[in-house]
Amino acid sequence: MDNNKVPDKSETNSSQQSQNPALSALVSLSSQKISTGILLPPDPNTFRPLVLPQVVLTDNNESSSDQLHNSESNAAKSATIIDFSLTNANPILPVISNPEPLSSSTTTLEQNGQFLTDFSFNVNTTIVNEPKSNSTENHEYTTIQPYWFYSKIIQDRLFWFPFSLIDSQRLEQAHLNKIEVISTNGNRYDVNLTLRKRIPVYWTGTSNDVRRSLWFYKSEYDIRFMPFDEETNDLLENVYKKTCTEKIWHTKHEINGETLVFHSPSLMAIHRLEGELTEYTSFSTGIPRTRILKRGLPDELTEDIEEGEKEGVQHLCFVVHGIGEGCDARFRPLVDCVDDFRFVSQTIAHNHFKPYLDEGQIDRVEFLPVYWHGDLHLEATGVDGRLTPITLPSVPKMRNFTNGTLLDILFYTSPVYCQKIISRVISEMNRLYDIFLQRNPSFKGQVSVIGHSLGSVILYDVLVNQVSNQDDPQLEPTIAHGSPIAMFLTVRGINSLAQDYELPTCKGLFNIFHPYDPVAYRIEPLIDPSWTCSPVLMEHHKGRKRMHLGQKVDFIYLEIQIVQNVALEILYRMVYKRL
């Protein structure tokens, strides 16, 4: 016999099977298709995926357990294991305790006193060389930094938002030092660490729940990870620490009626089993059965975290809203719209003035909302109680919208309600300014007022009747957005303003409008009737074209393309006709 001859693969497999009875039985089983079995309901207490033991082939009489404990020798050798791969979709094979007698069409295997019910699929045997990995078992427990979140209800749904990086660090430091109240979000909110509530400072509103979390979950119905409550955080952290310390991975833990399993530091889940699992159990009932766990801040939440606002304020702006309670196309409240002002201001500062921010040469701009609509429409003292009896019951949504929004214009033209609205705006701005100075005692910056729609008319009427006082701060130019000031002046019989006209306590006025805004009007013709210049186009802070201008260019380009295509088609027809 030639000593250099390579043994045939079938001879090698036969030799291995004769030396190891377990391998021989498993290979024999894989050569046949298992018949269809009856899906029996498993015992929920013992339900777990089938884990097949590794079969190690050796050339000596050394026991497998001794080899597994001798990690250094096993690392040098390549252990041959049996790998089961299913040709069909991989079902989870339930372990059944004390099974009922099975019919002749069901194939069963017995392993460690447990019977495994198999279903109709092909079992293939693949022999691979794979070294044993102990990365999970050797994982050591380490502490991580928790992060702080606050809740917000949007369209009747609860969302959790991360605090800025600066605020979260300050909250954590206050928590460790047992400080009860700390300011966040640029001093606009106070967080009560005892009550775990975030409370607005400048305006009246509902408080938000606050959580300190380092454990997060996401079910199949969630689009992002959500933080656990702090009690569950402590419970999960204790179980995780025990798992890492005692190396008890893949162990089930019962928590609040659910099953917790730590497969590895990166694969953790909570399973919920509603009732008994049978072949009729539906997995699309809308109730999440499995929630993926994550220890530490998930990457998708990290992208939403802002650096935070600095303490210094260089410019203060009061924002007065227009008609109605909703302040934009999505009918969001004034507070949310003012948050957009603040966010855009911070974005512009970081994109265009970052060196000055880093060197401390400039500080941030603060925006505070001035709300007057609520006083006008209070049921006790407002106009809603008087409007309800005279309102027709037909088309209720349209009539409620008219009463709560469009009629604000008529109320402002009434001498009684006009004075009530103006008094409310003045008292609210004074109140906000006093609170701001208390929380920012070193403020020496400028103050501006911004009015949108009817709010700009209210500010104009307030400023035009002001008396200049050296003790009061001089206002920077007033900003009017989508303003009907010129229309109101025309209705009041004012046909023109003097060319040297100015507001007593304000340095000027900017009239900013969109060309398609139906309630915006120009003021220049009232000052100079011969004024014919076009409005100055404001560049977008991102450098792109405004939406209406971009669409206009696109339409012109499309029109040119259509004309060219039609001309070419006519030309081709003329040429082909001559041919």
Side-chain angles (χ1 to χ4, degrees), residues 8-22:
D8 185 76
K9 184 176 181 180
S10 59
E11 296 178 2
T12 304
N13 291 340
S14 301
S15 175
Q16 293 176 350
Q17 295 173 21
S18 61
Q19 295 177 6
N20 195 315

Side-chain angles (χ1 to χ4, degrees), residues 17 88 125 213 277 301 332 338 490 501 529:
Q17 295 173 21
N88 298 329
T125 302
S213 183
L277 183 65
L301 296 181
R332 294 185 302 164
V338 172
T490 303
Y501 178 81

Side-chain angles (χ1 to χ4, degrees), residues 145-151 160-176 179-180 182 184 191-197 209-214 216 227 230 297 301 305:
Q145 182 76 16
Y147 208 86
W148 290 80
F149 293 80
Y150 65 91
S151 66
W160 289 92
F161 296 93
F163 281 94
S164 66
L165 185 61
I166 295 176
D167 287 341
S168 183
Q169 293 174 351
R170 296 177 67 245
L171 286 168
E172 183 64 20
Q173 192 66 29
H175 170 75
L176 298 176
I179 300 176
E180 184 177 2
I182 185 172
T184 60
V191 174
N192 190 311
L193 295 178
T194 303
L195 302 177
R196 288 294 196 266
K197 293 289 185 180
D209 293 332
V210 174
R211 283 183 178 178
R212 175 179 179 265
S213 183
L214 51 83
F216 304 85
E230 297 188 36
L297 200 61
L301 296 181
I305 295 178

Side-chain angles (χ1 to χ4, degrees), residues 99-145:
E100 297 293 333
L102 304 176
S103 62
S104 57
S105 62
T106 304
T107 302
T108 61
L109 302 176
E110 182 177 2
Q111 175 183 327
N112 298 330
Q114 299 287 338
F115 286 86
L116 307 179
T117 302
D118 236 318
F119 311 106
S120 179
F121 54 84
N122 292 326
V123 181
N124 297 329
T125 302
T126 306
I127 300 178
V128 297
N129 294 327
E130 179 179 337
K132 183 176 177 58
S133 175
N134 295 325
S135 59
T136 300
E137 288 74 6
N138 294 334
H139 181 77
E140 299 294 336
Y141 173 79
T142 57
T143 60
I144 60 175
Q145 182 76 16

